[in-house]
């Protein structure tokens, strides 16, 4: 007998008490078959309580480790509990939960390993989707586009929004991401490059993202400067390193 | 190099060497980190005694004064040490990351198991 397909939504959250509740509730209302796991990255506010109230399962980091680490904890959870498909979205309200279905549809029914939600893809099956204007300003928008074209050029694959954190993965990619080389500070365009180089299939799906409702952005202060530097370095490094072999990909998390 | 300079340098080298050894003896410093320190103090000592070697190296790298060579040597050593620390830090960060993740996953598992054992007890969610 074929076992039931297990689907999971993971939401890394750090001090998101205002957003985490409605996001979790919306996903639960959308499809009760989708399990929701919130990875609380050492929040000092009511995030955990709000998440539990909304019906989510919460995994708590003992201290604040950063967005990427929280994501990877989610991947490790998914791998351990043998989930087949996973959607990740941010806990700050930028990512509208209604697109989850769309992402799951693509990852489950097409021959694709990783699906990205893109803000900049204009055409969705012939229908023009309104482009997203970001209040964060031109610099950020062009920054994202720059990485998009850089990755597109290097990979010979058209990616419009490689910095998107709204993604769906299948089991093979989940396993790949639980390895130690997953970049845990800002997993971003470099991850897409890495995934593609490892031979996985990537597809973008257009969607509209809201500006964040409340709370502080990850990208503030001097961080954008470091961020740009880090992206260049790690995309470059991804191409210098040896390609992960099929055998390496097939292995589970490395035990040290 | 005057005799005064020589004696001063030798004393510094010997003290450093002994201090590092003592740290290892008292388990304040792990053996794996001691070798770079011991190696440097020994090398410095040899260079002070064998002054001609120091002069030779100075000529080789184009330094005018042999003391400059010593300073450069010290700088390079500090650089290596700093890099060694950075490497160690990167590794530690990775290890801490894995521990926090494993800990979080285990905590969740334990909570789930205790929920199954006592279905009526409220879930504790104190932060």
């Amino acid at each position: 007998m074929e076992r039931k397909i297990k689907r999971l939504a993971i939401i890394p959250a750090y001090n998101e008490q205002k957003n985490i509740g409605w996001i979790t509730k919306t996903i639960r209302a959308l499809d009760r078959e989708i399990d929701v796991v919130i990875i609380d990255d050492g929040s000092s506010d009511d995030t955990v309580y709000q998440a539990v109230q909304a019906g989510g399962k919460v995994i708590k980091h003992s201290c604040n480790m950063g967005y990427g680490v929280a994501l990877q904890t989610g991947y490790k959870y998914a791998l351990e509990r043998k989930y087949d498909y996973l959607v990740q979205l941010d806990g700050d309200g930028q990512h509208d939960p209604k697109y989850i279905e769309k992402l799951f549809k693509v990852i489950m029914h097409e021959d694709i390993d990783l699906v990205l939600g893109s803000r900049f893809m204009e055409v969705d099956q012939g229908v023009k989707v309104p482009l997203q204007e970001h209040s964060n300003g031109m610099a950020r928008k062009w920054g994202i586009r720059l990485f998009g074209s850089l990755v597109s050029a290097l990979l010979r694959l058209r990616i419009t929004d490689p910095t998107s954190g709204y993604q769906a993965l299948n089991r093979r990619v989940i396993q790949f991401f639980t390895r130690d080389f997953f970049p845990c500070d800002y997993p971003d365009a470099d991850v897409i490059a890495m995934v593609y180089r490892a031979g996985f299939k990537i597809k973008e799906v257009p969607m509209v993202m809201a500006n964040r409702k409340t709370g502080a952005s990850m990208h503030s202060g001097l961080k954008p400067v470091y961020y740009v530097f880090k992206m260049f370095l790690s995309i470059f490094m991804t191409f210098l390193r040896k390609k992960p072999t099929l055998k390496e990909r097939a292995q589970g998390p490395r035990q040290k | 190099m005057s005799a005064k300079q020589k004696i001063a340098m030798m004393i510094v080298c010997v003290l450093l060497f002994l201090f590092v050894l003592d740290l290892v003896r008292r388990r304040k410093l792990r053996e794996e980190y001691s070798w770079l320190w011991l190696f440097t103090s020994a090398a410095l000592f040899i260079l002070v005694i064998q002054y001609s070697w120091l002069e030779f190296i100075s000529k080789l790298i184009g330094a005018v004064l042999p003391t400059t060579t010593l300073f450069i040597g010290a700088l390079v050593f500090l650089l290596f040490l700093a890099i060694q620390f950075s490497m160690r830090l990167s590794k530690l960060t990775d290890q801490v990351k894995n521990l926090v993740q494993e800990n979080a996953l285990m905590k969740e598992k334990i909570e789930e198991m205790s929920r199954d054992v006592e279905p009526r007890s409220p879930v504790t969610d104190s932060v």
Side-chain angles (χ1 to χ4, degrees):
Chain A
M1 198 182 82
E2 205 173 288
R3 84 185 173 96
K4 220 171 113 197
I5 284 169
K6 288 173 81 183
R7 289 178 298 168
L8 177 72
I10 61 169
I11 315 171
Y14 177 58
N15 291 346
E16 300 285 1
Q17 56 178 0
K18 296 232 169 61
N19 291 314
I20 202 71
W22 70 261
I23 296 174
T24 311
K25 269 184 206 145
T26 314
I27 303 173
R28 299 296 291 157
L30 218 64
D31 191 342
R32 294 206 69 87
E33 296 283 293
I34 301 173
D35 293 331
V36 183
V37 164
I38 293 94
I39 298 106
D40 165 57
D41 197 15
S43 299
S44 51
D45 66 357
D46 249 359
T47 301
V48 174
Y49 179 76
Q50 295 297 337
V52 172
Q53 282 300 302
K57 190 175 237 182
V58 179
I59 299 176
K60 281 164 278 185
H61 279 180
S62 4
C63 50
N64 182 247
M65 295 297 291
Y67 176 73
V69 180
L71 266 182
Q72 204 190 29
T73 305
Y75 300 145
K76 286 182 176 173
Y77 177 86
L79 188 71
E80 200 182 285
R81 305 291 168 106
K82 301 192 166 54
Y83 280 96
D84 300 287
Y85 300 102
L86 175 151
V87 157
Q88 64 181 56
L89 62 161
D90 289 355
D92 59 8
Q94 275 192 70
H95 297 159
D96 192 332
K98 75 177 176 198
Y99 291 113
I100 285 182
E101 298 275 67
K102 196 170 166 183
L103 288 174
F104 270 135
K105 215 174 96 191
V106 175
I107 194 96
M108 288 168 76
H109 301 298
E110 293 179 32
D111 182 26
I112 298 289
D113 299 300
L114 177 85
V115 187
L116 288 168
S118 169
R119 277 160 281 188
F120 303 120
M121 218 171 147
E122 288 174 58
V123 181
D124 180 16
Q125 285 134 18
V127 187
K128 223 169 155 69
V129 174
L131 261 189
Q132 184 71 15
E133 275 310 321
H134 249 271
S135 69
N136 304 51
M138 295 300 280
R140 170 153 185 197
K141 195 171 146 190
W142 286 109
I144 295 170
R145 291 228 160 148
L146 173 71
F147 286 124
S149 7
L150 181 69
V151 171
S152 306
L154 286 169
L155 298 181
R156 286 174 213 90
L157 166 84
R158 177 120 180 83
I159 296 283
T160 54
D161 190 4
T163 60
S164 167
Y166 206 164
Q167 304 174 358
L169 344 164
N170 68 9
R171 202 171 155 70
R172 287 167 63 216
V173 181
I174 295 173
Q175 197 165 35
F176 185 67
F177 279 172
T178 53
R179 302 276 308 276
D180 263 349
F181 52 63
F182 183 74
C184 278
D185 38 2
Y186 296 110
D188 222 300
D190 51 336
V191 177
I192 306 305
M194 204 169 78
V195 166
Y196 187 74
R197 245 175 96 81
F200 292 112
K201 289 197 190 108
I202 303 171
K203 189 185 174 181
E204 274 192 316
V205 172
M207 55 179 60
V208 176
M209 289 183 198
N211 286 315
R212 34 179 311 114
K213 296 198 169 168
T214 47
S217 165
M218 280 198 303
H219 304 287
S220 56
L222 260 181
K223 279 182 183 163
V225 181
Y226 168 71
Y227 173 82
V228 169
F229 161 76
K230 197 247 150 175
M231 268 316 122
F232 270 115
L233 183 71
S234 73
I235 290 174
F236 184 61
M237 282 299 162
T238 305
F239 284 91
L240 283 186
R241 288 189 189 117
K242 260 170 55 188
K243 274 188 190 184
T245 60
L246 274 168
K247 198 175 141 238
E248 265 181 322
R249 278 197 279 141
Q251 282 167 0
R254 213 170 0 159
Q255 302 293 326
K256 261 200 227 164
Chain B
M1 210 185 232
S2 71
K4 240 184 194 171
Q5 279 177 325
K6 252 187 190 176
I7 291 167
M9 273 315 281
M10 275 157 70
I11 290 174
V12 169
C13 290
V14 170
L15 283 183
L16 181 67
F17 197 84
L18 290 180
F19 181 60
V20 172
L21 278 185
D22 191 49
L23 281 179
V24 175
R25 185 186 64 85
R26 285 188 291 146
R27 297 184 204 289
K28 297 269 184 203
L29 184 69
R30 293 177 65 154
E31 284 88 342
E32 51 178 313
Y33 301 117
S34 65
W35 69 268
L36 197 55
W37 289 96
L38 292 175
F39 173 78
T40 310
S41 52
L44 219 57
F45 190 77
I46 291 168
L47 285 181
V48 172
I49 290 180
Q50 290 287 335
Y51 195 65
S52 53
W53 292 8
L54 188 61
E55 278 175 327
F56 173 73
I57 297 172
S58 301
K59 220 180 265 171
L60 208 68
I61 63 169
V64 181
L65 283 174
T67 33
T68 317
T69 317
L70 283 183
F71 276 119
I72 291 174
L75 253 165
V76 168
F77 157 70
L78 286 177
L79 217 73
F80 270 121
L81 209 69
I83 292 173
Q84 197 194 20
F85 285 158
S86 299
M87 277 165 59
R88 186 67 192 165
L89 265 180
S90 304
K91 198 176 160 195
L92 274 175
T93 312
D94 222 40
Q95 287 169 334
V96 168
K97 181 210 84 182
N98 282 336
L99 279 179
V100 168
Q101 288 179 328
E102 225 162 89
N103 181 44
L105 289 172
M106 262 172 3
K107 224 163 32 183
E108 200 279 328
K109 217 175 207 171
I110 289 171
E111 265 173 26
E112 196 182 63
M113 279 159 79
S114 52
R115 230 175 291 159
D116 291 345
V117 174
E118 311 165 64
R120 264 184 300 158
S121 80
V123 185
T124 46
D125 284 303
S126 53
V127 183

